[in-house]
């Protein structure tokens, strides 16, 4: 899990940098300092010092995130809320976090309406966004307004059925390099599904329900080096032959790694 990796990486570093003791925190916390708070099995977001740079609250029963919950954490760069029961995000829930670079919301109960109120609005420094293993059945370009710095977007393990020209902002994710759409229910792509993702280098569409896909959907991704189409339900058709022809050209380039079965 993303949160587990972050804990292992951050814990020794942040312990070495501990300053004055932070306010008392629950016994389930692994670390409470002026720079970082790492806790598990909480039912709500706890108060943390204003100097906090990393806040990881995982494996709990937190169900909602309101703007007021994080209003005093303007210095935070890493926020991990993985493996909770979050189904509600307040409007501009993270608006007071101007330096946030990593936001982990994977393994929760988020649906489309939770993101439609502009919860991600204004996260101009956000580089990593994990929304995998939620209950999302669609992707809407409006969710990503103001996240122009995004480099990695993880949407695996949801209920997504299609990706079309309205899924991603035309000019809003020009720095995105990694997009994970694996383990969904996607059975349709169109030629403009990834239009505007001009820097995309890794695209994972494995373990979906694709029977065909237009070659044009990938042909304009000039930086794409890793394309995973494995474990779909491919049918032999003229459209699929065009895709195979594109992948044949793709595989002849030493820096390209396509997977199709």
């Amino acid at each position: 899990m993303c949160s587990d990796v972050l804990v292992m990486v951050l814990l020794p570093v942040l312990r070495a940098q501990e300053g004055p003791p932070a306010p008392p925190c629950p016994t389930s916390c692994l670390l409470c300092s002026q720079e970082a708070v790492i806790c598990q099995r909480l039912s709500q977001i706890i108060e943390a010092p204003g100097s906090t740079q990393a806040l990881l609250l995982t494996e709990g029963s937190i169900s909602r995130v309101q703007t007021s919950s994080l209003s005093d954490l303007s210095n935070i760069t890493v926020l991990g809320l993985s493996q909770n029961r979050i189904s509600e995000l307040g409007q501009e829930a993270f608006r007071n976090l101007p330096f946030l670079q990593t936001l982990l919301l994977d393994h929760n109960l988020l649906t489309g309406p939770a993101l439609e109120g502009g919860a991600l609005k204004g996260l101009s420094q956000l580089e990593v966004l994990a929304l995998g293993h939620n209950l999302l059945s669609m992707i809407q370009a409006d969710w990503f307004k103001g996240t122009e710095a995004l480099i990695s977007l993880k949407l695996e393990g949801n209920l997504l059925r299609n990706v079309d020209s309205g899924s991603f902002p035309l000019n809003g994710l020009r720095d995105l390099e990694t997009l994970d759409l694996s383990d969904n229910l996607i059975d349709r792509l169109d030629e403009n599904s990834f239009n505007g993702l001009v820097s995309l280098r890794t695209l994972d569409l494995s373990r979906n329900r694709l029977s065909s896909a237009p070659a044009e959907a990938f042909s304009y991704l000039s930086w794409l080096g890793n394309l995973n189409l494995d474990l779909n339900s491919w049918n032999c058709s003229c459209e699929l032959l065009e895709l195979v022809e594109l992948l044949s050209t793709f595989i002849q380039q030493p820096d390209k790694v396509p997977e199709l079965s």
Side-chain angles (χ1 to χ4, degrees):
M1 303 292 181
C2 287
S3 57
D4 294 333
V5 174
L6 274 171
V7 168
M8 289 187 292
V9 172
L10 288 171
L11 194 55
V13 175
L14 291 169
R15 275 180 173 160
Q17 296 178 350
E18 284 184 11
C25 58
T27 56
S28 63
C29 293
L30 301 174
L31 173 66
C32 286
S33 76
Q34 292 293 327
E35 292 80 24
V37 175
I38 302 177
C39 303
Q40 297 175 325
R41 300 183 299 278
L42 298 181
S43 60
Q44 60 185 3
I45 296 175
I46 61 173
E47 183 179 351
S51 57
T52 300
Q53 298 177 30
L55 178 64
L56 303 181
L57 309 178
T58 63
E59 300 178 41
S61 56
I62 298 169
S63 62
R64 64 177 63 184
V65 182
Q66 302 291 350
T67 307
S68 57
S69 304
L70 304 164
S71 59
D72 296 326
L73 300 179
S74 59
N75 292 305
I76 200 167
T77 60
V78 177
L79 176 59
L81 297 170
S82 305
Q83 295 176 277
N84 278 285
R85 301 188 61 81
I86 299 171
S87 61
E88 181 181 338
L89 298 175
Q91 187 175 13
E92 299 183 36
F94 310 105
R95 69 181 178 188
N96 295 320
L97 312 180
F99 304 115
L100 190 64
Q101 297 177 2
T102 298
L103 176 58
L104 308 178
L105 292 168
D106 55 287
H107 293 86
N108 278 288
L109 302 174
L110 293 171
T111 60
L115 294 167
E116 290 172 6
L120 304 176
K121 185 177 179 181
L123 296 179
S124 60
Q125 302 298 314
L126 192 67
E127 297 181 353
V128 177
L129 175 59
L131 291 169
H133 299 279
N134 277 282
L135 301 174
L136 301 173
S137 60
M138 68 183 84
I139 313 171
Q140 294 186 358
D142 285 348
W143 297 352
F144 307 106
K145 284 185 177 179
T147 62
E148 289 84 358
L150 205 61
I151 295 174
S152 175
L153 175 59
K154 296 178 65 64
L155 288 160
E156 79 284 1
N158 276 285
L159 304 173
L160 304 176
R161 292 187 174 275
N162 65 77
V163 183
D164 56 32
S165 59
S167 297
F168 303 104
L170 182 58
N171 294 305
L173 295 177
R174 298 182 66 84
D175 292 331
L176 191 70
E177 296 181 3
T178 300
L179 176 59
D180 190 349
L181 294 167
S182 62
D183 285 301
N184 275 286
L185 307 174
I186 299 171
D187 59 11
R188 183 175 64 84
L189 300 175
D190 66 37
E191 60 184 27
N192 295 313
S193 291
F194 308 108
N195 195 20
L197 306 184
V198 296
S199 297
L200 203 62
R201 296 176 181 270
T202 298
L203 174 59
D204 193 343
L205 283 159
S206 62
R207 298 180 296 279
N208 276 285
R209 297 183 179 180
L210 292 168
S211 58
S212 63
E216 294 85 355
F218 312 104
S219 60
Y220 52 82
L221 300 176
S222 57
W223 289 100
L224 193 64
N226 191 334
L227 173 62
N228 192 345
L229 298 171
D230 197 15
L231 299 175
N232 277 279
S233 305
W234 301 108
N235 288 331
C236 187
S237 64
C238 292
E239 188 175 57
L240 185 60
L241 290 175
E242 292 176 3
L243 177 59
V244 170
E245 183 178 348
L246 173 68
L247 292 177
S248 297
T249 303
F250 191 85
I251 202 171
Q252 293 173 15
Q253 303 177 54
D255 59 334
K256 309 293 186 181
V257 184
E259 295 182 39
L260 171 62
S261 66

